[in-house]
Amino acid sequence: MDFKLKGEMKPKGDQPQAIEKLVRGLNQGMEKQTLLGVTGSGKTFTIANVIDRVQKPTLVISHNKTLAAQLCNEFREFFPDNAVEYFVSYYDYYQPETYMAHTDTYIEKEAQINEEIDRLRHACTQALMTRKDVIIVCSVSCIYGLGSPDEYKKVMHIFKKGDNISRQTVARKLIDLQFERTTEDLIMGKFRLRGQVLEIMPVSQKVIYRMEISDKIDSIELIDPIRRNVLEEVDEISLFSAKHYVINDETKKEALAGIRKELEERLKFFEREGKLLEHERLKRKTNYDLEMIENIGYCQGIENYSRHFDGRKIGQPPFTLIDYFKAADPDFLTVIDESHVTIPQIGGMYFGDKSRKKSLIDYGFRLESAYDNRPLQYSEFEDLTKRMIYVSATPKEEELSKSEQIVEQIVRPTGLIDPEVIIRPITPKEGDSQIDDLIKRIEAQVAIKERTLVTTLTKRMAEDLTDYLEKKKIKVKYLHSDIKTLERIDTITELRRGNIDVIVGVNLLREGLDIPEVSLVAVLDADKEGFLRNETSLIQTIGRAARNVNGRVVLYADNITKSIEKAISETDRRRAIQLEYNKKNGITPKTIEKSIKNILEQFGLTSKQLKSKKRNEKILEIDLKGDNRPIREILKDKKLKMKEAADKLEFELAAILRDEIDQLEKELKKK
């Protein structure tokens, strides 16, 4: 099936020329290009048009799970009939195996897997194995080990209506695919056999496959796991392995032999070095792991032996999601979203992992092959991803120097121009200080019913400024890294609705804020050079006011730093291009109109302010009272809402609903 871009939206502003240049570059064989698109210029829509034109499987990498989810939902709207999937780390909680030599402290690996995200990861790999019209939006998880795509595809089994096969044979094939048999409720990766009816829940879909088997497969039905109604009858189903790591018996024997040989050599090394403690520690741990793998096929930390199971040579990179793309189409396209942040993140993963592993290996907790259970090095990542588009409003030298073409998307479809930048002193000899001046500007904003964002240097400053503004009768809240995701969502919705007029934060860039009601952005202490006051951050922060026709940015600074100078120079350059385009085409800019939705309310959740020792701590409380329906009916409704939340990639909300379902199920058991 081909990609088919849907919707009434048409390319406007700089989008048409950007699309043409990027597509031409790809057709001419350019390996790397940069889309320099200002905030609010519709970069995602431009990339969607490029995908529609080149018709290639596309990997979109984002530096942040939440932003990846937003991107995924946007692409799903553009391509409703194609496979648009989401691939991020499936850990709700992850404590890596660590040894701290200076305190002689060993910490075992501890992890909690999110089953919903695991399902979506399987949906990604299965889509790549079965079709070409695939877009996968992912985090840097795509550079971590995943198992061989060849082995994964080999074990796929197709069950067809009319196949002459017994129930026992089907069950054995499912076990070979690493499904587990159960007599209880079905969950992903398990199957249940009752008489002639065999029910399976695959790991990639929230659906039950029901097969009636006599001496052959008489029927195959798709069942809704919650309502239990028949969705459709089908002639065949394809089942992949329930795990990404697929190991056959022959490979297993070879791998165990390889691990034993490596263990023998490493023990000899410790003997020669006189390291008796490390010798004994490694001998015990590895032999225990080998015994576990032989008897039950698994051990804690089995991924540390992945080189042996994959048949890789020392130092050879692991199989990753990118290898699944190469198996689908070697000519696939890679898009790096917010490349100025994402590329350094990709580049830093390998070294952090190696540093942690070194201590474990040196002190006898792991064999040296554990080094090869790792993320890709940046050079390996580049070798695997030949056709790449960097997307950023502020690309760095890394992207610009490697790009064969830099495509600018400066003009917005709405005609909005970059905001005016005003510089005010922090501590003037006469007149108002930065705080006094800020308060006057906020009061003027309140009078015209427009919102304000204020960035400070530290969390403490954000909290103190919020206190001070509250005393001045200004409706304000702060956001920083200590504030939970659900409360951040709530606070942003309150700002958009006008329940509050100001948000104070440290790094408001991390919120992925898209608030057209904001017409003033104030940067306190803008001349304090650092991560949040460098050229890139200042340009990104200035862009927060670019969705409103009255957008203005105030930089409070006693000195004009090089970062401020460059940020203003680039903003002025963009403003000149935008103004000239509007004048030439007779465009009058308009503030972006965007509906206000509270996704908490959408799923029947409310935030309540409860007593707490911590200042301003909000706790999400779920109200279970006032509903007179039977508990079973409420449960069914909550499960549907949880499924809807997960489908929309709102995993925090899905987790809250899951906790509520657990409470209701406990109540049901009491009765």
Side-chain angles (χ1 to χ4, degrees):
M1 187 175 181
D2 291 338
F3 284 107
K4 190 171 182 182
L5 183 62
K6 293 196 174 182
E8 297 178 2
M9 197 186 306
K10 301 295 179 188
K12 293 180 181 178
D14 263 355
Q15 290 173 338
Q17 60 87 25
I19 294 163
E20 288 300 325
K21 287 179 180 177
L22 290 169
V23 171
R24 193 184 312 126
L26 290 168
N27 290 337
Q28 290 173 356
M30 291 184 186
E31 290 193 353
K32 289 181 172 60
Q33 302 180 79
T34 292
L35 174 61
L36 193 165
V38 299
T39 303
S41 63
K43 297 186 286 292
T44 306
F45 184 57
T46 295
I47 292 298
N49 275 272
V50 171
I51 294 169
D52 186 53
R53 292 274 295 275
V54 300
Q55 292 291 316
K56 291 291 180 182
T58 303
L59 172 67
V60 181
I61 308 176
S62 175
H63 64 93
N64 176 296
K65 281 184 180 183
T66 305
L67 295 181
Q70 290 174 7
L71 272 174
C72 186
N73 280 323
E74 285 185 63
F75 279 117
R76 283 179 175 177
E77 288 177 9
F78 294 139
F79 298 103
D81 298 330
N82 304 111
V84 181
E85 307 292 352
Y86 180 71
F87 187 97
V88 297
S89 168
Y90 55 19
Y91 294 119
D92 277 339
Y93 168 77
Y94 181 64
Q95 167 59 58
E97 184 182 25
T98 308
Y99 178 66
M100 294 176 285
H102 62 285
T103 58
D104 189 28
T105 304
Y106 171 72
I107 302 170
E108 280 197 66
K109 173 185 169 181
E110 188 178 346
Q112 182 178 345
I113 291 176
N114 184 310
E115 289 183 359
E116 185 58 34
I117 295 179
D118 191 27
R119 177 184 73 79
L120 292 171
R121 286 164 65 96
H122 279 280
C124 290
T125 51
Q126 292 182 23
L128 287 169
M129 293 288 104
T130 55
R131 56 198 297 178
K132 299 289 185 184
D133 57 324
V134 181
I135 299 170
I136 295 178
V137 185
C138 66
S139 66
V140 293
S141 293
C142 67
I143 68 169
Y144 281 79
L146 195 63
S148 167
D150 291 337
E151 292 297 324
Y152 186 72
K153 192 169 186 177
K154 272 182 198 173
V155 300
M156 183 192 77
H157 192 87
I158 299 173
F159 294 97
K160 294 181 180 179
K161 183 178 176 180
D163 278 352
N164 292 313
I165 190 169
S166 68
R167 295 185 297 280
Q168 289 72 22
T169 304
V170 174
R172 279 197 299 271
K173 287 188 179 295
L174 290 172
I175 289 167
D176 290 341
L177 288 170
Q178 302 190 62
F179 281 80
E180 296 177 20
R181 185 170 180 175
T182 183
T183 55
E184 300 176 353
D185 289 342
L186 276 182
I187 59 173
M188 289 182 293
K190 297 201 174 187
F191 70 94
R192 181 171 57 201
L193 183 57
R194 291 175 176 171
Q196 292 188 327
V197 177
L198 188 143
E199 294 182 328
I200 313 155
M201 183 175 279
V203 288
S204 60
Q205 293 175 276
K206 280 200 167 178
V207 69
I208 292 173
Y209 297 148
R210 179 192 287 164
M211 293 191 283
E212 288 203 18
I213 308 170
S214 52
D215 54 349
K216 68 179 190 306
I217 299 177
D218 298 313
S219 67
I220 305 175
E221 296 173 329
L222 270 60
I223 308 294
D224 185 304
I226 298 170
R227 293 192 176 98
R228 300 294 299 182
N229 58 307
V230 177
L231 299 173
E232 63 175 316
E233 290 191 28
V234 295
D235 292 329
E236 64 177 55
I237 55 171
S238 300
L239 280 176
F240 284 83
S241 170
K243 302 278 192 300
H244 277 116
Y245 273 97
V246 180
I247 306 167
N248 58 48
D249 288 338
E250 188 177 337
T251 303
K252 184 176 170 182
K253 286 178 184 176
E254 290 176 4
L256 292 173
I259 295 168
R260 287 194 172 95
K261 184 179 178 183
E262 186 189 359
L263 174 62
E264 185 181 341
E265 291 170 357
R266 189 65 175 165
L267 292 177
K268 286 178 181 177
F269 167 79
F270 281 138
E271 279 182 14
R272 287 196 303 270
E273 295 293 315
K275 296 184 175 181
L276 302 181
L277 176 61
E278 288 81 356
H279 177 283
E280 185 61 26
R281 184 184 281 153
L282 185 65
K283 182 180 176 182
R284 270 186 169 183
K285 186 168 184 60
T286 310
N287 281 330
Y288 175 77
D289 286 348
L290 287 167
E291 190 176 340
M292 291 290 287
I293 295 168
E294 279 185 310
N295 287 294
I296 65 172
Y298 182 80
C299 75
Q300 177 81 337
I302 192 172
E303 64 274 7
N304 289 293
Y305 305 108
S306 60
R307 189 189 81 201
H308 294 283
F309 290 108
D310 293 342
R312 290 183 281 129
K313 295 177 182 177
I314 296 172
Q316 192 174 343
F319 295 110
T320 66
L321 179 67
I322 301 170
D323 291 287
Y324 286 75
F325 267 96
K326 288 181 75 68
D329 187 338
D331 208 21
F332 72 96
L333 176 63
T334 303
V335 176
I336 312 287
D337 186 58
E338 301 289 1
S339 58
H340 62 284
V341 180
T342 307
I343 286 176
Q345 196 179 75
I346 293 171
M349 292 295 157
Y350 170 78
F351 296 102
D353 183 80
K354 186 174 182 179
S355 175
R356 179 178 60 81
K357 295 271 179 60
K358 188 177 187 306
S359 182
L360 290 166
I361 290 165
D362 288 350
Y363 289 92
F365 289 96
R366 287 290 167 197
L367 292 170
E368 287 184 299
S369 54
Y371 277 133
D372 291 315
N373 165 45
R374 60 175 176 82
L376 296 175
Q377 298 183 51
Y378 190 70
S379 59
E380 294 167 339
F381 169 75
E382 285 197 304
D383 288 341
L384 289 166
T385 51
K386 294 298 183 186
R387 288 158 40 107
M388 186 180 293
I389 299 175
Y390 304 114
V391 179
S392 175
T394 53
K396 290 188 176 179
E397 186 58 31
E398 166 75 20
E399 301 98 293
L400 298 176
S401 62
K402 291 183 177 180
S403 293
E404 296 166 73
Q405 178 178 224
I406 298 164
V407 178
E408 288 195 336
Q409 189 168 295
I410 305 298
V411 177
R412 297 179 175 88
T414 55
L416 284 168
I417 60 174
D418 275 30
E420 176 190 2
V421 180
I422 303 162
I423 298 180
R424 292 283 303 171
I426 299 171
T427 51
K429 292 179 181 177
E430 295 180 5
D432 296 329
S433 68
Q434 64 175 351
I435 301 301
D436 294 327
D437 184 77
L438 174 65
I439 290 171
K440 287 180 181 179
R441 292 178 186 275
I442 290 172
E443 287 172 344
Q445 287 285 103
V446 172
I448 59 173
K449 297 184 178 179
E450 291 185 358
R451 320 288 185 261
T452 303
L453 298 179
V454 182
T455 68
T456 64
L457 281 173
T458 66
K459 295 177 187 178
R460 180 63 182 270
M461 287 172 69
E463 294 177 9
D464 289 347
L465 179 58
T466 300
D467 276 340
Y468 188 72
L469 293 176
E470 282 177 342
K471 288 174 184 174
K472 296 288 182 182
K473 308 300 182 187
I474 293 170
K475 294 182 287 184
V476 59
K477 286 190 179 180
Y478 67 83
L479 288 181
H480 54 57
S481 57
D482 290 346
I483 307 299
K484 300 297 183 185
T485 302
L486 293 175
E487 188 178 343
R488 290 203 299 270
I489 293 167
D490 213 13
T491 299
I492 291 166
T493 305
E494 282 190 80
L495 183 79
R496 294 201 63 205
R497 286 180 171 171
N499 298 332
I500 59 174
D501 295 307
V502 183
I503 289 179
V504 180
V506 179
N507 180 10
L508 293 176
L509 300 177
R510 73 185 287 276
E511 305 300 333
L513 298 179
D514 180 6
I515 310 174
E517 294 81 8
V518 169
S519 60
L520 175 64
V521 173
V523 181
L524 301 182
D525 304 297
D527 58 0
K528 303 298 187 289
E529 284 272 22
F531 165 61
L532 295 176
R533 300 294 184 270
N534 62 24
E535 178 191 351
T536 300
S537 293
L538 287 174
I539 292 173
Q540 293 277 349
T541 303
I542 288 167
R544 293 295 177 224
R547 287 178 167 83
N548 191 296
V549 72
N550 299 322
R552 296 169 334 282
V553 175
V554 182
L555 302 180
Y556 291 99
D558 289 332
N559 303 298
I560 306 302
T561 63
K562 287 184 179 179
S563 294
I564 292 175
E565 194 176 305
K566 289 178 180 177
I568 292 176
S569 174
E570 176 62 12
T571 301
D572 288 344
R573 182 184 79 85
R574 295 176 181 184
R575 278 173 62 87
I577 294 170
Q578 293 156 356
L579 287 166
E580 184 182 346
Y581 180 90
N582 288 354
K583 185 178 179 181
K584 184 178 178 181
N585 293 277
I587 294 173
T588 303
K590 291 183 179 179
T591 298
I592 292 172
E593 292 184 6
K594 184 180 177 185
S595 60
I596 302 172
K597 296 177 183 177
N598 187 329
I599 55 177
L600 298 184
E601 294 175 2
Q602 187 179 340
F603 292 96
L605 305 175
T606 57
S607 293
K608 283 189 178 181
Q609 187 76 41
L610 303 180
K611 289 183 180 179
S612 172
K613 292 179 182 177
K614 292 184 181 177
R615 181 191 179 281
N616 280 354
E617 182 181 3
K618 289 180 77 175
I619 300 170
L620 190 76
E621 186 178 82
I622 303 166
D623 189 3
L624 300 179
K625 298 176 183 177
D627 195 329
N628 297 319
R629 293 176 297 166
I631 289 182
R632 289 185 189 278
E633 192 176 327
I634 298 172
L635 261 172
K636 188 181 289 186
D637 182 51
K638 292 294 179 186
K639 286 178 179 178
L640 286 171
K641 284 186 175 179
M642 182 177 71
K643 182 178 181 295
E644 184 184 346
D647 288 343
K648 291 182 178 180
L649 307 184
E650 302 291 353
F651 298 113
E652 294 90 352
L653 301 179
I656 296 292
L657 286 161
R658 179 194 62 199
D659 292 342
E660 186 172 359
I661 288 165
D662 287 343
Q663 290 180 38
L664 286 167
E665 285 178 338
K666 285 175 185 174
E667 288 295 320
L668 193 62
K669 284 180 181 177
K670 288 178 185 176
K671 296 184 177 183

